[in-house]
């Protein structure tokens, strides 16, 4: 590898493959970029589902960020352990997870936990448990503005549901939440137009609730693709997540977003079964496999074709196969970093080509203690 590249290790002899490497200095730069785009840290509510690591939470806290978003009880518990001030569990709890949500509040009384509802039944169940425990549950109404994954339609029924939240003696209606992950136009002008049109439904709902005599105090909106748009809205909390580590998919789709790749897979050639075929030790168990090929961007082997993958193997066709030997090391940027991180118990930290330590992926499983 060339000396001017940012990702190679100076010594790979004792590094097992596959391993996931992270680069703290580049993560730090991504945090600064995120804050700059948002015009400060006060309205930011970054999502931790991508990294799931206490060290990256703490890096953000040192920059003043204290509001976070997460997807699982384990991630919420990690944030409680990090003494985060304000945590939104952005996955409507059902079944046993409702009880676990209340246990979070008991375990970390200095952290303000909230979560989502999008239907009367779940609201009733949360309200019933809150009443029984004599607790106050903070809830956001989750809105579907086009993704059709979760959330209620922004119509009169949403107004009625928000009023029910507001009037319940053991519920605090915190505001509206909307995730617009379906909006991924590469051109920022197109993405802005679609994002604004979709968000207009949320603003109209907020006004309808206001006409019903209720003030909506908070709006939490978007993910990484819509972050450049929502970050410019006054009194809206944008929730980027992938921005901290970045990946090949978003890096290729959104050239307007100046984030740095900060997570790289270290892999090796384990076989050369035919003249133009290379097999790497990177199977389904080690990188997100849910998308079509390519699964990674193999640095230094850009013109190759990924043609097969199984639990432990990634098969690649390349007319440069003759240049390499079994055992040669390569570096690869995941196409989808979020589920890739969850496949590793720990990541290795790299500074100036040297392994400096490891960070535990503490919330990779569904449960820490709660």
């Amino acid at each position: 590898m060339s000396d001017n590249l940012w990702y190679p290790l100076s010594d790979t002899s004792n590094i097992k493959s596959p391993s996931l490497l992270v680069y703290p200095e580049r993560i730090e730069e991504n945090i600064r970029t995120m804050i700059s785009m948002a015009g400060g840290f006060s309205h930011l509510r970054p999502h931790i589902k991508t990294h799931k690591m206490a060290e990256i939470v703490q890096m953000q806290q040192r920059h003043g960020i204290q509001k976070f978003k997460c997807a699982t009880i384990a991630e919420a518990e990690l944030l409680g352990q990090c003494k985060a001030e304000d945590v939104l569990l952005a996955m409507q709890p059902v079944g046993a997870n409702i009880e676990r949500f209340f246990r979070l509040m008991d375990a970390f009384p200095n952290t303000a936990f909230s979560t989502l509802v999008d239907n009367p039944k779940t609201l009733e169940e949360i309200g019933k448990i809150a009443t029984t425990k004599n607790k106050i549950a903070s809830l956001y109404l989750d809105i579907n503005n086009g993704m059709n994954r979760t959330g209620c339609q922004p119509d009169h029924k949403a107004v009625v549901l928000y009023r029910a939240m507001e009037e319940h003696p053991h519920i605090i209606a915190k505001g509206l939440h909307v995730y617009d992950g379906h909006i991924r136009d590469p051109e920022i002008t197109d993405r802005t137009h679609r994002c604004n049109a979709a968000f207009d439904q949320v603003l109209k709902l907020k006004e309808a609730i206001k006409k019903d005599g209720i003030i909506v105090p908070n709006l939490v909106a978007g993910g990484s693709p819509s972050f450049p748009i929502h970050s410019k809205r006054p009194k809206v909390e944008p929730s980027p997540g992938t921005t901290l580590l970045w990946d090949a998919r978003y890096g290729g789709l959104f050239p307007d977003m100046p984030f740095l790749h900060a997570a790289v897979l270290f892999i090796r050639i384990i076989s050369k079964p035919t003249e133009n075929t290379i097999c790497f030790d990177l199977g389904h168990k080690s990188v997100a496999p849910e998308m079509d090929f390519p699964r990674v961007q193999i640095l230094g082997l850009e013109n190759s074709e990924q043609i097969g993958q199984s639990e432990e193997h990634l098969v690649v066709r390349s007319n440069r196969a003759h240049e390499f030997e079994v055992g040669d090391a390569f570096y690869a940027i995941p196409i989808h970093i979020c589920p890739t991180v969850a496949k590793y118990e720990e990541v290795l930290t790299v500074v100036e080509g040297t392994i400096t330590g490891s960070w535990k992926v503490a919330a990779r499983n569904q449960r820490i203690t709660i």
Side-chain angles (χ1 to χ4, degrees):
M1 293 293 177
S2 171
D3 290 339
N4 64 355
L5 297 178
W6 59 269
Y7 52 84
L9 298 173
S10 55
D11 181 8
T12 64
S13 57
N14 294 316
I15 307 302
K16 68 177 180 65
S17 58
S19 288
L20 184 59
L21 314 177
V22 298
Y23 300 73
E25 294 174 331
R26 294 172 75 86
I27 297 172
E28 195 85 31
E29 183 63 24
N30 285 341
I31 294 171
R32 287 192 287 267
T33 298
M34 191 170 65
I35 292 172
S36 176
M37 290 175 67
F41 62 81
S42 60
H43 289 300
L44 269 174
R45 188 181 288 275
H47 208 310
I48 77 159
K49 71 181 181 69
T50 296
H51 60 82
K52 308 175 193 294
M53 295 177 232
E55 290 82 356
I56 297 181
V57 171
Q58 292 159 355
M59 289 174 75
Q60 294 174 88
Q61 289 176 313
R62 289 194 288 272
H63 283 269
I65 297 169
Q66 282 294 345
K67 291 184 288 190
F68 295 92
K69 185 168 150 180
C70 61
T72 69
I73 298 290
E75 292 170 8
E77 181 175 355
L78 176 63
L79 287 163
Q81 292 173 350
C82 291
K83 297 181 172 58
E85 294 175 6
D86 186 331
V87 175
L88 169 57
L89 174 65
M91 176 78 78
Q92 178 170 243
V94 295
N97 282 342
I98 297 177
E99 179 67 31
R100 293 175 73 203
F101 175 71
F102 282 93
R103 288 168 59 192
L104 273 173
M105 292 191 282
D106 291 337
F108 304 100
N110 294 324
T111 296
F113 291 99
S114 57
T115 190
L116 308 179
V117 293
D118 69 3
N119 68 92
K121 181 176 182 291
T122 304
L123 174 60
E124 180 182 358
E125 291 176 353
I126 293 175
K128 186 181 297 184
I129 294 176
T131 301
T132 300
K133 294 179 176 292
N134 195 28
K135 297 283 188 180
I136 300 295
S138 295
L139 302 179
Y140 285 79
L141 186 61
D142 191 24
I143 305 303
N144 175 14
N145 74 335
M147 190 169 184
N148 299 327
R149 186 175 71 178
T150 65
C152 61
Q153 295 294 321
D155 55 19
H156 177 67
K157 290 181 180 179
V159 177
V160 173
L161 187 55
Y162 197 89
R163 173 167 285 283
M165 291 165 53
E166 177 75 16
E167 293 179 345
H168 196 291
H170 288 271
I171 300 292
I172 293 177
K174 292 284 290 183
L176 304 178
H177 169 272
V178 59
Y179 177 64
D180 48 15
H182 59 296
I183 300 173
R184 295 182 180 180
D185 303 75
E187 290 292 334
I188 184 60
T189 51
D190 296 335
R191 199 179 335 134
T192 300
H193 177 76
R194 288 189 63 205
C195 183
N196 287 342
F199 193 69
D200 188 55
Q201 302 175 56
V202 181
L203 295 177
K204 287 179 179 177
L205 174 61
K206 180 184 177 183
E207 286 304 307
I209 294 171
K210 183 177 180 181
K211 289 179 181 177
D212 203 40
I214 302 170
I215 300 298
V216 176
N218 302 298
L219 293 174
V220 179
S224 296
S226 58
F227 173 58
I229 300 101
H230 292 306
S231 65
K232 294 179 172 61
R233 304 188 196 280
K235 300 180 180 179
V236 170
E237 297 176 2
S239 299
T242 307
T243 49
L244 294 168
L245 297 181
W246 216 223
D247 58 25
R249 178 177 59 154
Y250 279 3
L253 277 176
F254 309 125
D256 59 287
M257 300 178 70
F259 294 99
L260 303 176
H261 294 300
V264 175
L265 289 160
F266 175 78
I267 60 178
R268 286 188 175 96
I269 296 175
I270 55 171
S271 185
K272 295 174 63 180
T274 70
E275 182 181 2
N276 292 321
T277 306
I278 299 171
C279 183
F280 290 97
D281 52 359
L282 189 70
H284 298 154
K285 295 177 180 176
S286 303
V287 67
E290 81 280 8
M291 297 182 179
D292 293 335
F293 291 132
R295 305 276 161 77
V296 290
Q297 177 187 344
I298 304 174
L299 302 172
L301 201 62
E302 282 76 12
N303 293 325
S304 60
E305 181 186 6
Q306 295 168 35
I307 59 175
Q309 191 178 36
S310 54
E311 292 185 42
E312 313 291 351
H313 308 82
L314 176 65
V315 182
V316 175
R317 182 186 293 124
S318 172
N319 57 14
R320 295 179 56 208
H322 64 280
E323 299 178 21
F324 311 109
E325 297 181 0
V326 172
D328 283 355
F330 278 80
Y331 302 82
I333 298 175
I335 296 297
H336 194 186
I337 186 61
C338 307
T340 296
V341 172
K343 293 178 178 291
Y344 293 84
E345 293 184 4
E346 65 176 12
V347 301
L348 302 178
T349 56
V350 182
V351 177
E352 295 182 354
T354 300
I355 299 293
T356 57
S358 64
W359 293 345
K360 183 179 180 181
V361 186
R364 67 189 291 257
N365 297 319
Q366 288 296 312
R367 179 178 180 272
I368 298 179
T369 66
I370 293 174

